[in-house]
Structure formats: structure tokens, C-alpha cells
Amino acid sequence: MRERPRSAAAFARAQRSIPGGVNSPARAFGAVGGQPLFIARGDGPYLYDLDGQRYLDYVGSWGPLILGHCHPAVVEAVTVALHNGSTFGAPCELETELAEMVVAAFPSIEMVRFVSSGTEAAMSAIRLARGFTGRSTIIKFAGCYHGHVDALLVAAGSSATTHGVPSSPGVPAGCTQDTLVLEYNDCQALRDVFRQRGDEIAAVIVEPVAGNMGLVEPTAEFRQELRRLTLHYGAVLIYDEVMTGFRLAYGGAQELYDEAADLTILGKILGGGFPVGAYGGRRDIMRQVMPAGPVFQAGTLSGNPVAMAAGIATLRQLQLHPPYRYLETLGRELQHGLQRALDAAHIPGHVQRVGSMWTLFFTHQPVTNYTTARQADTQRFARFFWEMMDRGIYLPCSQFEAAFLSAAMTPEHIHQTLDAAQQALQALRP
Ligand code: KE4
């Protein structure tokens, strides 16, 4: 592991005033050991750390940066907006413009409300679904993450339905007693719980392609059963497209799979690197949101004009130059090359991918849910992570995260990544 003295000094300093030295645990490198890099700047497909090292960035700030760092159109739009004022606490047309773009991108979204994070969007969507149905019970899936919402911070259950058990101190049992946890892709468990309790269920919230246990794709049957059962029992189907929205297609997983949720939550790319979340969907549901309706939700910086400008500029670029076929080509080459490198090194592993989201699992069998994801060799992942880092490839610092390609990457970057992976995996050979 290469020495990075300026990051080490910055980390030591940060730990004196910030818990764990980071403002989000995902950045702490806890799962891979060592210390986090402190970043000086990003540029296109690259990150530069305080020690002047350059890295090809497969994290992209955990998804927002599909265009890469400092895209000129985004920088310009944000600069113009900033000179008009950073925030007003009053409506401005930039909010309406981005809302109209979201409505145009997602046929299932008739109205949308902006907030400042994916967590806030998930929290608000859950409250809205409960207010709209008058019911309390929520279904989520083990391994799916929807932000640090009390009601959704529950232990990953087994394949059977379990009453949620808070997985963080400070979450009273009362916050999770109405949360049921099922196994992702487990259609039988889904049918069973709806047959037993369908008239109690306010909503099902799901990552339509899971990124937070590593990349796990839904089966067609799972998607179809989610839609059939929620319609039949009058539960709200919430697609958490914070990661997949504008990532897998301009219209997210719903466009990719031709599905329609009742509510959708968005974030990451929608803000173009600025703090934006959103929840939206059927007009009859969204009209329940205050002040149009009785369900309360508010936010000082919701619809922030500078953040709106970043989102508008980002979506405009995605409309003008759709990167999705290009990213599919890069992703396919990367996936096949990594799988070949695993096989050549005689290391068990599965490279799973949807579009520009991917995960290399160190597992003996494909990963279809959280139970199989947790069988991954996380020690081997940690060694692979640092072997790649020392070769200038910046991967997500956990086996249970998705990696992201950006449109700033080129085929040469893929070749560099595959060369580094071949060397890294050879160094890990059993
Ligand atoms: P935020 O509150 O972090 O903006 O969004 C929460 C969220 C909601 N839904 C999905 C599908 C998400 O992936 C996320 C956040 N993703 C994590 C990484 N997988 C963000 C990184 C972090 O927590 O620092």
C-alpha cells in the first residue's frame, strides 16, 4: 500500500473535529482497511489526491457524476446561477424547469417535489404513501438502502418476512415495528406476505436495480410480482431510482424495463453533483403533499436555484449527447475483461453489471440477493481494492457497493483498468 502522507495528515486532523474524520461512513474505508484518500480535485474521469496522485474514478461521488468531474456546461450553469443569488427561500423558475424535465423523463411521474437528499426523498415518499393509503406497514428488501431513514434502517432479514429490528442505536423499535424486510428477488415471500397482510401494506420500496449490496439485478418475475401485488392490494409501489435514475437510461430503470412505479424517488445525477433529491409520481398521490394536501414536508434549501441549475445542465447534456449506448459498450468490455482476468488467475468471482453500474463479487456463485452477497470474500476484495488503488484505479471502498462508469471515460481507460486488474488479481492468486 503506497504511502500517502498528506492524506494521512489531513485524516488525522479531520478526526479531531468530525466523527471518524468523514461526513459519511461510506467514505471511511472501514471495509478495506487503511485510511481514506483526501481529494484535492476532480477533472473529467480523474480524481487527484492531496499527494498529487491521479486516479481513474469509478465512484463518481457514488453515482452523481455520469458526465465526469467539472463538466464545462455544468460549471458554467452553476456560475451564472450563483451570480444571481445562491438561495431565495422563495420559488424561482429554475425549479419549475427542472420539474418539467423530470416529468418529461419519467412517464410515471406526473408531479414532483424537490428536497435536498435521497434520504429526504425516501422519508417523504414513505410518509406520503402512509398518508395516502391510511396504512402503516412498509415492505423493504434486505440489502437495499434508501438513506438513513429511521423506518428503513432495519436489519437485513432472512428470506422469510421478519419484523424489522433497528440496525442502529437511536432508532426506537416503534420506528421499525411497521417495517417488514424480505429477501430481494424472493417472489414467494412477497406473495405470502401480501396474502397474509395485503390490506395493511401502505407501500413497497425497492431499488429497481440494487446497487447497495453490490450490483444485483431483479428478475423479470420479481418486477412483475411487485407491480401485480401492489396494484391488487392497493399498496403504493415506490421505485428508489436515486442511483438508477438518469443512469441506466434517461428514464432510469423504468425506461430500461418498461415498468411504471406509483412513486419514484430520485437524487444523485438529478443534482449534477449538488444536493438534490426528489420524490414524484401519480398526480392523485402527489396532490396530498402540503400545501396542496395535508401531508407535511418542507425544506429550507429544497429546489435550491444553484442546484437546480446544475441538474438542468446535466440533464440537458444527457438529452443532447445520450451516453447510454457508449457506456454500455465500455461496460461490456470492462465486464468481460474482468471476468477473463478472474478466470486466468483462478480466482472465484462474478462481475455483475447493468449499463454503467457494476460490481466484481469475490463469490463462487452469482449474487441474486443479500444472503448470497454476504458470502463474498470481503478480505480478498479489500486486497484487490488496494492493489487497484496503487495502480491508479479508484474503486468503491466496499464489496457491497456499485461502481460507476462515466461518459468522460474512453476505451483506453478501460484497457488501463483491465491491465491493472490482471496484475492485481495475479498478485492475489491463491
Ligand atoms: P442520500 O441521502 O445519500 O443522498 O441518498 C440515499 C440513497 C437512497 N437511495 C439509494 C438507492 C442510494 O444509493 C442512496 C445513497 N447511496 C449511498 C452509496 N450507495 C451514498 C453514499 C453515502 O452514503 O455516502
Side-chain angles (χ1 to χ4, degrees), residues 337-419:
L338 289 174
Q339 195 65 58
R340 283 196 300 273
L342 280 164
D343 299 344
H346 302 293
I347 292 177
H350 288 268
V351 185
Q352 302 190 178
R353 177 185 68 85
V354 178
S356 58
M357 290 171 59
W358 61 275
T359 298
L360 189 163
F361 284 104
F362 285 101
T363 54
H364 288 269
Q365 80 277 339
V367 176
T368 57
N369 57 29
Y370 194 42
T371 299
T372 49
R374 280 180 300 176
Q375 287 160 13
D377 182 339
T378 53
Q379 293 306 315
R380 180 168 275 169
F381 177 85
R383 290 180 55 209
F384 178 68
F385 172 84
W386 283 110
E387 291 288 346
M388 292 292 274
M389 182 76 88
D390 287 347
R391 290 174 174 82
I393 308 296
Y394 190 82
L395 296 176
C397 50
S398 166
Q399 172 71 95
F400 308 116
E401 291 286 359
F404 302 91
L405 291 150
S406 79
M409 291 178 176
T410 66
E412 178 50 33
H413 289 128
I414 302 304
H415 302 152
Q416 289 164 14
T417 306
L418 293 177
D419 289 345

Side-chain angles (χ1 to χ4, degrees), residues 24 26-27 62 117-119 145-147 207 212 240 242-243 268 401:
S24 188
R27 310 172 191 169
W62 304 97
S117 71
T119 295
Y145 174 71
H146 309 289
E207 289 183 55
N212 286 291
D240 179 345
V242 166
M243 194 181 277
K268 294 187 192 277
E401 291 286 359

Side-chain angles (χ1 to χ4, degrees), residues 47-123:
L47 281 175
Y48 296 81
D49 69 12
L50 293 185
D51 295 284
Q53 297 292 327
R54 188 184 78 174
Y55 305 88
L56 189 57
D57 182 9
Y58 280 98
V59 178
S61 185
W62 304 97
L65 299 179
I66 192 170
L67 300 179
H69 295 271
C70 297
H71 189 285
V74 178
V75 173
E76 185 193 353
V78 164
T79 305
V80 168
L82 190 54
H83 283 297
N84 289 326
S86 59
T87 180
F88 310 121
C92 74
E93 287 193 301
L94 287 169
E95 300 166 72
T96 313
E97 189 171 343
L98 187 56
E100 290 169 349
M101 294 176 86
V102 170
V103 168
F106 287 80
S108 68
I109 299 180
E110 296 178 298
M111 301 191 86
V112 62
R113 167 63 65 84
F114 293 116
V115 291
S116 298
S117 71
T119 295
E120 213 182 337
M123 176 174 70

